Amino acid sequence: MESSSGSRSELVARERSGHTAVVEGDLLYVWGGYMSVADDEVFLPNDEIWVYDLIQGVWQVFHMTGEVPPSMSGTCSCSLNGNMYIFGGCDDNGQTNQMYHVMLTGAIGHYAWTKVVHRDGSAPSPRDKLSCWVYKGRIIYFGGYGHKFVAELDRRNRSFIVDDLSEDIMWGWNNEVHIFDPTPSSWTRPETYGRAPAPRAAQACAMLGNRGYICGGRIRETRTNDIHCLDLDSWTWSEIVPVSSLPVGRSWHSLTAVSDSTLFLFGGLSVDCKPMSDGWIFDVERKTWREVEHPFKNKPRLWHTACPGKDSDVIVFGGSCDYILLVDTGHCNDALVFQMAPYPLFRICEDYIAENASEYGALQKQLPLLPPKLCASVKKRMSFYRPSKKQHTQIL
């Protein structure tokens, strides 16, 4: 299913890459990122948040107040206790290690940023293109690209691979694990066991049970296709060696949990710098990859966002269809909804009525006979199927 921009009169979020997004309830929240204007790369406004109603297929934009973060791309976000937390990212001054949060639930259009000031521990060094998991009320961050001072680096420590050196500052990739606990507002760095993944950035991550998974990412000029998991109770790393064919190595892709034992990989920039549109299912129990057919093979995406929706849907928004390190004009603003499992009978019926009621007078006349809550739900869903949306549905 695809939600496209439709008619020109509709309000639609601006095209962008390197943005961040989370889903709360039936709403997709999108913030930040950048786009191309002529030959310039322009950050999207930092004081606005775009909200997409997944039921109605309608966008709204809201002004944000409070301690507004700088405009940036490559930040890492997650949803915790009704808040969107963002950490890291790259702005006009380079990478940052600041954290902010905004309450989403109950905000009713009044979204105010708060800068997080930690009381204990030390924040990770500045970085972008990192990933995170949420577990037991805490946020666990992994990897990314950023800078450290030479004095901070232990040459015996292999958690940082140097990319560039300028006087007393080094840029590079890391494989560090950091924990942020919002209740005491503290940073800690756990001791991990097992063989950690190589340092990397622009990897994809997902969560299943008590395990955080990472897949691929960039290390120097290499883009990998390995997959690792971290047990968030024992803090033990393990690499999963698939017993099947593998997706090609890539970065700037997405990985989303779609069941208790499966992850969905989509898109990215391949090891040979090709924008990808393939989709793969990884079964963590069987250790197998399986490529899946989907209706968006003509829509390559990289540096997009992918969020889990209801009924195992995966909502992909934005990203680029170009090799952005060479040609940076292909930023997108459509929302692609991947149906990863058969829908429940109730949703099938609701969607059928909503899609066809306007064309069949007899069906529309019977809508008031439905229970009030169901009638209101169907009428709301009808907005999603209005003619200008040009919907297409396909079960994978």
Side-chain angles (χ1 to χ4, degrees), residues 14 16 31-33 43-50 71:
R14 295 292 299 273
R16 66 191 69 204
W31 181 84
F43 287 114
L44 275 296
N46 55 344
D47 61 350
E48 67 181 29
I49 190 166
W50 287 85
S71 297

Side-chain angles (χ1 to χ4, degrees), residues 378-395:
V378 170
K379 287 183 176 180
K380 184 177 180 182
R381 186 63 173 161
M382 286 173 67
S383 171
F384 190 86
Y385 291 101
R386 62 194 183 277
S388 62
K389 299 302 290 185
K390 299 178 182 177
Q391 299 302 316
H392 305 283
T393 303
Q394 180 172 337
I395 295 178

Side-chain angles (χ1 to χ4, degrees), residues 30-41:
V30 176
W31 181 84
Y34 79 101
M35 61 179 292
S36 298
V37 177
D39 294 329
D40 296 324
E41 297 178 357

Side-chain angles (χ1 to χ4, degrees), residues 7-78:
S7 65
R8 293 182 180 274
S9 62
E10 292 176 357
L11 180 68
V12 181
R14 295 292 299 273
E15 60 269 17
R16 66 191 69 204
S17 298
H19 52 290
T20 193
V22 299
V23 166
E24 275 287 331
D26 293 323
L27 300 175
L28 172 73
Y29 296 87
V30 176
W31 181 84
Y34 79 101
M35 61 179 292
S36 298
V37 177
D39 294 329
D40 296 324
E41 297 178 357
V42 178
F43 287 114
L44 275 296
N46 55 344
D47 61 350
E48 67 181 29
I49 190 166
W50 287 85
V51 183
Y52 183 67
D53 188 313
L54 297 169
I55 303 299
Q56 293 183 287
V58 174
W59 283 102
Q60 287 182 283
V61 60
F62 297 98
H63 180 71
M64 306 185 80
T65 59
E67 300 169 284
V68 180
S71 297
M72 55 185 169
S73 65
T75 190
C76 184
S77 77
C78 64

Side-chain angles (χ1 to χ4, degrees), residues 91-165:
D91 60 21
D92 286 327
N93 298 313
Q95 285 88 12
T96 176
N97 64 350
Q98 300 300 307
M99 174 178 275
Y100 300 81
H101 76 88
V102 55
M103 176 64 76
L104 301 177
T105 56
I108 316 176
H110 300 287
Y111 300 104
W113 283 107
T114 299
K115 186 174 183 179
V116 177
V117 179
H118 62 273
R119 299 186 180 92
D120 295 300
S122 299
S125 56
R127 61 195 63 191
D128 69 348
K129 298 185 286 291
L130 66 158
S131 52
C132 73
W133 309 287
V134 174
Y135 184 62
K136 291 185 176 178
R138 301 185 296 175
I139 310 171
I140 300 96
Y141 292 95
F142 170 80
Y145 183 91
H147 63 268
K148 293 176 179 288
F149 291 104
V150 172
E152 296 177 320
L153 196 64
D154 184 345
R155 295 288 182 180
R156 298 166 297 177
N157 190 334
R158 297 184 178 181
S159 65
F160 190 86
I161 293 179
V162 177
D163 178 36
D164 190 24
L165 174 63

